[in-house]
Amino acid sequence: MQPSLGSRPLLPATFALWLLVVVAALVARPIMPIDETRYITVAWEMHLADHWLVPLLNGEAYHHKPPLMFWLIRLGWMIFGVSETWARLVAPLFGLGALGLSVVLARLLWPGQLGRDVSALAPLLLLTGAWWMLFATLTMFDLMMAFFALAGWIGLTLALRHGRMKRGLLLTGLAIGIGILAKGPVILVYVLPPAVLAPLWADAANRPGWLVWYLGLLGSIVFGAFIGLAWALPAAEAGGPEFKQALLWGQTAGRMKDSFAHKRSFFWYFPMLPLLLLPWLFWRPSWRALWLNDGAWRDSGLRFCLIVGGSGLLIFSAISGKQPHYLLPLAPAFALIVAHGLLVGRTEMRRWDAWPSIAVLLVLTIALAALPWLLHKQPQLGDKLDLPDWALEQHFEVVSALVVVAVIAIWLSLKATLLRQIAAVVSVGVGLFLTVHLGVFPPARLSYDGTPAALEIKRAQDAGRPVAFAGDYHGEYQFLGRLTKPLPEVAYRDIPAWFIANPTGLMVARYTEERLATGPKPVYTQPKRGRVMVIWDAKAVAEQPEFFRH
């Protein structure tokens, strides 16, 4: 076994890295369209309407997500005042909480010194995984799911490995119920498999009889469902018939029914797993920790993690509605498995273990340095890849920072100890994250930050001018401009008719640069994620009406 990590300050270091990553994202990155802007807009409209039951988007009931995140954002605004910072901190704080719960779960699965060591190492591995680190700063629901899934797993281990059945099932029921309020019944996909498959990992000395267990589990599920329905039923009545149908059917049975149409292949997730597990999957000791642990696979705590990760992967593979971040709440199981294997498997460290991760960083550095030169030589390549204008610029400071990160990682890797090798890989992941956020996002910010356009819309609304949106509107500008009126959606072909009815109005639309080059001059333009956001007035339609007929 590796030397004890109990005296090492790994947990404070993990917290410091979390703080560094979150602050860097808050400073350098805007609220990202369309998901982040949409979710914060829902909280903003609920705040404006002083409404707690029914989420609102662009003045209409929004049934796609439950209200917990919106409640917490609004609660913070009521205490601290409306701010972008608090809205963007809610999800990362759940990510921090998930790191803390992974500590608790490790110590419950492996009591004693091994559990303390695993609990010190696993949160660091979890945080510095590329996929987790990316979502650790985004206002989305998957870190909330990870938090409540971990709470549910802790409840199961209390009940079946530590003889605290009532307390454990109560915690599991709370995790299911509040998890439903966070993202819906999908919480059951994470919590139920290890509960149903308990005979494969439970401690025979501390568990109850299986009939008692499954009856208690059923009661826990019913308790959780009651918590979810305590919001869903009143909200369904308050939101109207269409909202009721979508909430109670479309978001549960209807979605599951449609999902088995296999719009995406069963194996869609499997080629993505190496990307989701970066950078640790490029690290040789991770593989040895997974496969060469001298019989450690017989460990019941390890079996629990395998059931969590394996069953979740299979269930999400069977459901055709797939997104990479749906697997994010399963990442703690991977981190616990690797941490356990590193400490139990007597994995010998070598100086070159971290070099594959460093090599990836160096390849990326060379590519970033060569990209502007290549695009100037082959301009059609940029058009084919639909790259924004800022990709043409030389980013010497970014390339220099990546070189510095690589040098630090190489220096750390020169000593073949567990902590130095881990530090080398961590420096690659964190250094790359910070470099992208602090070096790439500032020149690219205007393509993603809708605030300037939102303020233009706000000025027009304050002046009494009607403003509409061409196409599907996802609330991108409501919070950014602190808008108090919705933007009606208008089909592109109906833009001329709308201006006839609203001659003083403005129309927000998006076009490709090629399409826009053939049209009249807008009153406002802004690049937006590979396209151009424009604001038209009636004069533009009058100058070139044929442009708006296509």
Side-chain angles (χ1 to χ4, degrees):
M1 182 179 293
Q2 297 284 348
S4 170
L5 299 179
S7 60
R8 307 286 185 174
L10 289 183
L11 290 179
T14 302
F15 173 74
L17 286 175
W18 173 88
L19 189 62
L20 180 64
V21 164
V22 171
V23 170
L26 289 176
V27 170
R29 179 176 59 76
I31 303 176
M32 297 294 286
I34 57 176
D35 289 329
E36 282 195 298
T37 51
R38 174 172 51 211
Y39 300 143
I40 297 178
T41 282
V42 173
W44 167 246
E45 295 200 17
M46 292 177 74
H47 186 71
L48 280 180
D50 194 21
H51 210 306
W52 289 96
L53 264 183
V54 180
L56 301 170
L57 179 63
N58 203 31
E60 298 180 356
Y62 177 74
H63 62 80
H64 295 281
K65 290 292 186 290
L68 181 61
M69 179 182 288
F70 313 135
W71 285 347
L72 293 174
I73 292 174
R74 189 184 172 202
L75 184 62
W77 284 344
M78 294 174 69
I79 298 172
F80 307 114
V82 174
S83 72
E84 174 185 320
T85 300
W86 170 252
R88 296 179 64 185
L89 274 177
V90 171
L93 286 172
F94 273 98
L96 179 63
L99 297 177
L101 290 185
S102 69
V103 173
V104 177
L105 182 60
R107 296 185 180 187
L108 290 173
L109 290 174
W110 298 288
Q113 186 60 50
L114 175 60
R116 288 191 290 273
D117 288 346
V118 172
S119 71
L121 184 56
L124 180 63
L125 301 180
L126 180 59
L127 173 65
T128 53
W131 208 239
W132 185 280
M133 196 183 306
L134 172 63
F135 281 89
T137 66
L138 291 173
T139 300
M140 295 184 70
F141 298 85
D142 303 283
L143 291 184
M144 298 177 73
M145 275 291 92
F147 178 88
F148 292 113
L150 280 160
W153 299 334
I154 288 171
L156 297 178
T157 55
L158 283 173
L160 291 174
R161 289 176 63 93
H162 295 269
R164 303 175 185 175
M165 180 172 171
K166 290 182 180 179
R167 184 181 301 179
L169 287 177
L170 176 62
L171 178 57
T172 301
L174 282 171
I176 291 172
I178 306 177
I180 290 173
L181 294 178
K183 201 182 176 183
V186 69
I187 182 66
L188 296 173
V189 175
Y190 304 109
V191 175
L192 278 192
V196 173
L197 299 176
L200 298 179
W201 60 269
D203 186 348
N206 291 310
R207 67 169 177 81
W210 290 123
L211 178 61
V212 174
W213 166 248
Y214 286 113
L215 288 176
L217 177 62
L218 178 61
S220 183
I221 296 170
V222 171
F223 176 50
F226 176 81
I227 294 174
L229 290 173
W231 163 75
L233 294 179
E237 293 300 325
E242 185 176 341
F243 177 78
K244 181 178 182 179
Q245 170 72 12
L247 180 67
L248 299 181
W249 174 257
Q251 292 300 307
T252 52
R255 175 171 288 189
M256 291 297 295
K257 173 180 174 292
D258 293 340
S259 69
F260 284 100
H262 290 288
K263 297 176 183 176
R264 281 179 170 166
S265 164
F266 178 89
F267 298 101
W268 188 81
Y269 280 121
F270 289 83
M272 302 183 66
L273 288 178
L275 295 176
L276 300 181
L277 300 177
L278 289 175
W280 299 108
L281 216 59
F282 280 133
W283 192 46
R284 182 192 64 89
S286 293
W287 286 99
R288 292 184 61 85
L290 287 170
W291 303 112
L292 302 175
N293 281 335
D294 298 330
W297 293 106
R298 293 189 293 271
D299 181 278
S300 61
L302 200 57
R303 290 199 302 272
F304 175 87
C305 296
L306 287 170
I307 290 169
V308 165
S311 61
L313 176 61
L314 291 176
I315 293 172
F316 280 114
S317 296
I319 299 173
S320 69
K322 296 179 176 69
Q323 292 291 344
H325 50 85
Y326 292 173
L327 300 184
L328 198 68
L330 304 177
F334 171 79
L336 289 169
I337 290 171
V338 173
H340 178 276
L342 289 172
L343 295 165
V344 171
R346 305 183 185 91
T347 303
E348 181 184 357
M349 295 294 141
R350 300 174 184 174
R351 292 182 177 182
W352 51 265
D353 281 336
W355 291 3
S357 297
I358 298 172
V360 171
L361 180 68
L362 290 174
V363 168
L364 180 62
T365 303
I366 294 170
L368 189 60
L371 182 62
W373 174 84
L374 181 62
L375 292 178
H376 282 296
K377 291 288 185 181
Q378 302 287 336
Q380 70 276 10
L381 181 62
D383 297 333
K384 185 180 294 186
L385 297 176
D386 197 23
L387 293 176
D389 292 339
W390 55 265
L392 294 168
E393 302 173 7
Q394 291 282 354
H395 299 290
F396 294 108
E397 66 283 357
V398 176
V399 173
S400 301
L402 290 175
V403 171
V404 170
V405 170
V407 170
I408 293 173
I410 292 172
W411 175 76
L412 288 169
S413 69
L414 293 178
K415 191 170 183 179
T417 64
L418 174 62
L419 290 181
R420 283 286 292 268
Q421 292 296 311
I422 288 175
V425 180
V426 166
S427 67
V428 169
V430 176
L432 181 59
F433 179 93
L434 295 176
T435 301
V436 168
H437 275 73
L438 299 178
V440 175
F441 264 113
R445 188 180 185 96
L446 193 60
S447 296
Y448 296 92
D449 188 0
T451 302
L455 295 177
E456 287 289 325
I457 297 170
K458 174 66 171 174
R459 281 190 283 270
Q461 286 189 341
D462 289 347
R465 303 179 71 178
V467 183
F469 191 93
D472 295 328
Y473 180 52
H474 299 282
E476 296 99 311
Y477 304 112
Q478 298 301 113
F479 173 75
L480 295 178
R482 307 299 192 268
L483 305 186
T484 58
K485 301 174 185 177
L487 299 185
E489 294 178 351
V490 177
Y492 277 83
R493 65 179 180 275
D494 296 331
I495 290 177
W498 186 85
F499 273 114
I500 292 173
N502 302 274
T504 64
L506 296 175
M507 177 66 63
V508 183
R510 287 191 293 262
Y511 296 90
T512 62
E513 290 187 359
E514 294 79 6
R515 171 69 174 146
L516 189 61
T518 65
K521 184 178 180 180
V523 298
Y524 180 85
T525 63
Q526 181 181 336
K528 184 174 176 63
R529 301 172 67 200
R531 307 184 80 185
V532 181
M533 175 270 190
V534 302
I535 299 179
W536 302 113
D537 60 5
K539 180 181 177 182
V541 179
E543 287 179 356
Q544 199 172 335
E546 65 276 5
F547 176 83
F548 298 94
R549 296 190 183 123
H550 302 285

